[in-house]
Amino acid sequence: MRFCTNCGAKLADDWKFCVKCGHRLPEISQPEKPKINLPKDGRLFEMEEMNWGQINVTSDVMVSQMWVIYQTGLVISYASYSASGDSDIQSSCLSKEEVQTLCDMLSRFKDYASAGRGADGTGYNMVVYDVEGKESSKITGYIYYNAYLEELRDFVKDIPGLSFSCYGSAAPQFFMP
């Protein structure tokens, strides 16, 4: 919500003129966040969970979350929001046993490379890397009704220490009275 700089009338954020007095409103510029670029060396697995459904553009909702797991067990995650962009990076670390469990799970990944595609709802990009850091298998689409892919997703989503709000930092400007 914003207000006219001439008469003080309440206005929507995207209006260019005041509906009460006709005054031209100054442009609102938001600082642009730099795009997150994570190191590619040593990657083991990436998973991105995306909202492929309709998004209300008058709010600031999470549209995707990315997890990158490295061979050392380091896990990096961030979320992207419809208005505020990418969140800050959060990190965690898997134990050696958890890395081994994940590697065992990923050894079957190629068998599922033909996961269904979709255009509405929650979709996934999952990428497995070989020991040299090159992409070896990839899935893009829905994973519903595929017990293996759902188990893999749940393993990654349950990594402690990585949590994001469903609303981004710009949400208060949309919900203020």
Side-chain angles (χ1 to χ4, degrees):
M1 181 69 58
R2 69 191 278 202
F3 298 90
C4 177
T5 54
N6 185 49
C7 71
K10 275 188 181 182
L11 308 170
D13 288 337
D14 59 344
W15 290 356
K16 296 185 186 316
F17 295 90
C18 176
V19 293
K20 186 174 179 185
C21 72
H23 179 72
R24 181 172 181 81
L25 303 171
E27 292 287 322
I28 297 178
S29 62
Q30 303 228 352
E32 191 171 317
K33 281 186 164 182
K35 188 70 179 149
I36 294 176
N37 293 314
L38 302 176
K40 296 196 181 295
D41 294 344
R43 287 185 185 203
L44 176 64
F45 181 67
E46 285 182 4
M47 181 175 88
E48 183 177 18
E49 181 179 74
M50 301 161 291
N51 177 356
W52 283 343
Q54 294 181 351
I55 296 173
N56 180 350
V57 294
T58 63
S59 64
D60 187 23
V61 296
M62 183 190 296
V63 292
S64 70
Q65 183 173 354
M66 172 68 90
W67 293 262
V68 180
I69 303 174
Y70 292 86
Q71 295 168 8
T72 60
L74 174 66
V75 182
I76 302 289
S77 187
Y78 65 92
S80 294
Y81 295 92
S82 57
S84 54
D86 292 335
S87 71
D88 290 333
I89 292 175
Q90 294 182 9
S91 64
S92 185
C93 198
L94 298 177
S95 68
K96 287 182 180 181
E97 294 80 18
E98 290 169 324
V99 171
Q100 186 57 53
T101 299
L102 179 61
C103 287
D104 292 344
M105 294 174 79
L106 295 177
S107 68
R108 302 179 302 176
F109 192 83
K110 286 183 182 178
D111 298 337
Y112 296 91
S114 60
R117 307 232 183 268
D120 195 17
T122 303
Y124 294 87
N125 280 331
M126 295 182 177
V127 182
V128 176
Y129 294 89
D130 63 20
V131 292
E132 295 162 358
K134 296 190 190 293
E135 187 178 302
S136 68
S137 298
K138 182 176 185 173
I139 291 173
T140 299
Y142 289 128
I143 63 170
Y144 306 121
Y145 311 114
N146 184 314
Y148 164 74
L149 293 175
E150 289 177 346
E151 179 185 8
L152 181 58
R153 173 206 58 206
D154 293 344
F155 179 90
V156 173
K157 286 184 74 168
D158 288 342
I159 296 171
L162 306 173
S163 62
F164 296 92
S165 166
C166 62
Y167 293 103
S169 59
Q173 74 182 7
F174 297 107
F175 297 116
M176 289 177 61

